[in-house]
Amino acid sequence: MFRPGMKGNTVNTSPTASAAMTSATAALLESLACASTDPQDRAHASTDRSGYVSPSVPDGVVFAESIDDVAQTMRRASELGVQVVPRGAGSGLAGGAAAHAGQVVLDVSRMNRILHIDPVEQIAVVEPGVVNAAVNAAVAEHGLFYAPDPASTAICSIGGNIATNAGGMWCAKYGVTRESILALRVVLPDGRILDTGRGTIKGVTGYDLNALMIGSEGTLGIVVEAKLRLRPRPVHTATLVAYFPDVAAAAQAASAIIAARVQPSVLELMDGQTLAAVDAAQGSDHAVRGGAFLLAQTDGYGAYLEQEVLVEAIRPYASSMEQAADAEHAGALMAARRAAIPSVEELGRVSICDVGVPRNRLAEAFAGLDAIAAKTGVRIFTVAHAADGNLHPMIVVEPHESITEGPAKEALGEMFHLAKGLGGTLTGEHGVGLLKRDWLQAELGDTSLELQHAIRDVFNPRGLLNPGKAI
Ligand SMILES: Cc1cc2nc3c(=O)[nH]c(=O)nc-3n(C[C@H](O)[C@H](O)[C@H](O)COP(=O)(O)OP(=O)(O)OC[C@H]3O[C@@H](n4cnc5c(N)ncnc54)[C@H](O)[C@@H]3O)c2cc1C
C-alpha cells in the first residue's frame, strides 16, 4: 500500500520539494502499491549521473515489481493526466531520467530477474532492471556473452541500455544494443501491452517497432521484458596496448587499423591528460610511456593472426607496444581504460560528452577539442571508442561551477559543431535526454524532426511519458 513518506514518514520536507503535490499525482500515488514520497527517493529521482539536477523534486516514485504494477501505473496516470518519467539504474549521462515537481517517476530497478537462458538458441529473457554485468555473469557459465558492454556495466540496467541504445567496448565488432535485442514487451503510456520483435534471428513482418523502441529514451513506452541475443564466447582473445608520442599519432593509428580491414573487438583510445589522471588516481605509470594510449583486442579463431595485421598497421605511429601474455595481464590492461572516467571524476565536476565522427577523422576531432578547450577555458579529457569514431570528451570544471550553463555548455555546443563539421553526430550512445536538445534541429532538420514528433504522438499522444526529453 501507499505509505506517505515511506521510510521518512514525511512529505515535501526537502528544501527543493514542490510546495504541494497536485491532486492528480496524490491520487495516483495513493492508488498504487510500492509508491513512495520519501524525500530521499524523490531527491534521488531528480537527477542522474550527468550531473544535471532538476530545479525541483518529483512528487513521488513508484517502485514497480511486476508488469502489472507498470501497466496499472500507466493506466491510472493516463486517466489522471499525470506525467511519468521511466527510470532504470539512473546512470544516464543526458538527464533523461531526471524528473521534477508535478511528475511521478516509474522506477523499474526492482524488476531485476533473469527469467530464462536458452544456451542452445543463445537467448536470454530478462526483466528491465537487471544490471548489465549480471547478465554476462549469468550467461558466462554457458560459454556465452551479451555483447553491449557499457563502461557502466556494473551500474546500468538492461532497460536503460535499451532505452538509450547503449554501446560499449565490444560494440566495435558486435554492434550496439539494437543488434542484440530480438524482442521486447513494452507497456504503452495508456497501460496497454505491446510485444515487438520475435524469437528468431531473422524476421521482417511489418514495420520494425522493436528497432523503433530501442533508443527512444522512454518517450514511447516502458520496456518491461527483453529477449536478448547472446553470442558464443570467443575461443581466443588477443590483447595489446600501444603508446604514442601524442594523441594525433594514436588517432592516425586507429584509422590505419580500420583501413587495414582488420576487425578489432575492442579499440579504445585515451589522450595524454586522461592517462595522467588514471596514473594519479590508480598509481600506474602510463603517462611516462607515451602521450596517448590505444587498447586493442582481436578475438575468435584468428585472434592472433588478426593481431599481427593490427600490429603492422600501427607500427609506423607507435612508440612502444605491450602484448598481453595471459588473461590476467589482459584484464589489467583493460582495467586502465575502465578506470578513465572514475579517475577524471576525481578532478572536479565532470560532463561526459559523446560526439561521433567518421573513423578516418579522429585526428581532426582531437585537434578540434584542443581548440575548444583553449577557447572556452574548460579542461577536456578524452577517451574514444576509436573503431566506432565515438569520442567521450570529458569537460571538467570546478566543483562549484555549472555543467549545464556557462563555459561547459559553450564547450558542449562547440563539440557538436566540430563533430557536425567533420560529418559526425551529436551523440553516439548516451542519448539526447534533456541536455542536448538545443542542437537537435541542427542535426536532424525540420522534416525529420516533424516526422519524429508525429511518431512520438502516435505512441504517446498526450505527451505524458517522459515529456521534454529526447526529441
Ligand atoms: C561511468 C559511466 C560510464 C558510462 N559508459 C557508457 C558507455 O560506455 N556506453 C554507453 O552507452 N553509456 C554509458 N554510460 C551511460 C549510461 O550508463 C547508459 O546510458 C545506460 O544505458 C543507462 O542505463 P540506466 O539503467 O542507468 O538508465 P537511466 O539512467 O535510469 O535512464 C536512461 C534513459 O532511459 C529511460 N529508461 C530507463 N529504463 C527504461 C525502461 N525500462 N523503459 C523505458 N525507458 C527507460 C529513462 O527514462 C532515461 O531516458 C555511462 C555512464 C557512467 C556513469
Side-chain angles (χ1 to χ4, degrees):
M1 271 309 291
F2 167 71
R3 280 166 284 155
M6 222 162 59
K7 293 185 199 160
N9 268 333
T10 48
V11 291
N12 293 332
T13 55
S14 154
T16 51
S18 56
M21 198 182 287
T22 68
S23 56
T25 54
L28 173 66
L29 294 164
E30 276 164 21
S31 71
L32 295 168
C34 308
S36 166
T37 55
D38 174 71
Q40 264 186 322
D41 290 337
R42 296 161 65 203
H44 182 68
S46 67
T47 184
D48 63 6
R49 287 291 298 268
S50 66
Y52 169 79
V53 182
S54 298
S56 54
V57 301
D59 290 359
V61 182
V62 177
F63 291 101
E65 294 185 6
S66 67
I67 295 178
D68 270 358
D69 286 348
V70 177
Q72 198 193 346
T73 304
M74 293 316 302
R75 260 195 312 274
R76 275 302 277 154
S78 162
E79 285 160 12
L80 293 161
V82 173
Q83 295 182 357
V84 174
V85 177
R87 186 177 183 90
S91 73
L93 292 173
H100 56 71
Q103 299 184 321
V104 165
V105 171
L106 183 42
D107 182 315
V108 295
S109 60
R110 293 183 187 171
M111 295 174 68
N112 59 5
R113 289 175 306 159
I114 294 174
L115 300 172
H116 178 60
I117 296 171
D118 182 339
V120 177
E121 274 298 307
Q122 300 174 0
I123 282 171
V125 180
V126 303
E127 292 186 325
V130 176
V131 167
N132 179 292
V135 173
N136 264 318
V139 303
E141 65 188 75
H142 301 286
L144 299 169
F145 76 110
Y146 175 63
D149 64 330
S152 51
T153 175
I155 56 163
C156 65
S157 74
I158 292 292
N161 295 167
I162 291 166
T164 56
N165 193 18
M169 295 200 208
W170 288 327
C171 298
K173 180 169 182 178
Y174 298 100
V176 292
T177 298
R178 189 173 279 124
E179 273 77 58
S180 288
I181 302 296
L182 291 174
L184 294 173
R185 177 156 288 179
V186 175
V187 174
L188 294 172
D190 61 7
R192 283 178 300 161
I193 307 280
L194 168 72
D195 286 313
T196 66
R198 51 193 61 79
T200 53
I201 298 296
K202 292 170 83 176
V204 293
T205 319
Y207 290 153
D208 194 348
L209 298 185
N210 204 54
L212 178 62
M213 210 49 77
I214 300 163
S216 62
E217 299 191 47
T219 60
L220 303 182
I222 298 178
V223 173
V224 290
E225 201 173 286
K227 189 172 281 179
L228 313 181
R229 178 181 183 181
L230 307 173
R231 295 167 201 269
R233 287 198 88 77
V235 284
H236 301 302
T237 301
T239 306
L240 71 77
V241 293
Y243 295 87
F244 301 84
D246 54 36
V247 77
Q252 284 170 314
S255 299
I257 292 170
I258 307 300
R261 290 184 290 279
V262 65
Q263 178 58 71
S265 50
V266 170
L267 190 63
E268 295 292 316
L269 197 159
M270 276 199 273
D271 71 2
Q273 297 95 293
T274 311
L275 278 184
V278 170
D279 285 349
Q282 315 292 324
S284 49
D285 65 350
H286 296 289
V288 296
R289 302 166 72 183
F293 160 112
L294 198 60
L295 167 75
Q297 260 184 1
T298 46
D299 69 10
Y301 286 97
Y304 290 96
L305 289 173
E306 278 196 287
Q307 192 185 59
E308 282 174 25
V309 181
L310 191 146
V311 165
E312 288 316 310
I314 62 179
R315 198 184 294 284
Y317 308 97
S319 34
S320 68
M321 290 188 223
E322 178 181 337
Q323 280 168 274
D326 53 31
E328 198 184 333
H329 188 183
L333 300 177
M334 296 285 281
R337 165 60 182 91
R338 290 206 188 275
I341 294 175
S343 301
V344 171
E345 281 176 337
E346 290 189 13
L347 301 177
R349 199 155 186 215
V350 178
S351 170
I352 306 176
C353 311
D354 179 37
V355 290
V357 299
R359 295 173 297 179
N360 61 355
R361 306 201 73 176
L362 278 169
E364 290 166 86
F366 277 102
L369 290 171
D370 280 347
I372 291 170
K375 181 176 171 191
T376 59
V378 300
R379 288 187 290 166
I380 300 178
F381 299 70
T382 303
V383 295
H385 304 300
D388 303 326
N390 185 190
L391 297 112
H392 292 321
M394 293 175 268
I395 298 172
V396 180
V397 295
E398 296 303 318
H400 64 274
E401 288 179 310
S402 169
I403 54 136
T404 52
E405 299 296 334
K409 182 167 182 188
E410 191 196 341
L412 184 58
E414 293 280 341
M415 283 176 199
F416 164 63
H417 294 296
L418 168 68
K420 189 165 188 290
L422 294 172
T425 181
L426 175 60
T427 171
E429 58 186 17
H430 296 165
V432 172
L434 198 60
L435 301 183
K436 298 177 205 150
R437 292 180 75 223
D438 285 359
W439 303 282
L440 256 190
Q441 197 276 342
E443 177 164 337
L444 295 177
D446 289 337
T447 307
S448 174
L449 206 50
E450 208 175 286
L451 280 171
Q452 299 204 30
H453 286 153
I455 290 169
R456 180 195 57 199
D457 293 349
V458 169
F459 285 80
N460 185 11
R462 296 164 66 201
L464 293 176
L465 193 60
N466 221 5
K469 310 285 178 55
I471 63 160

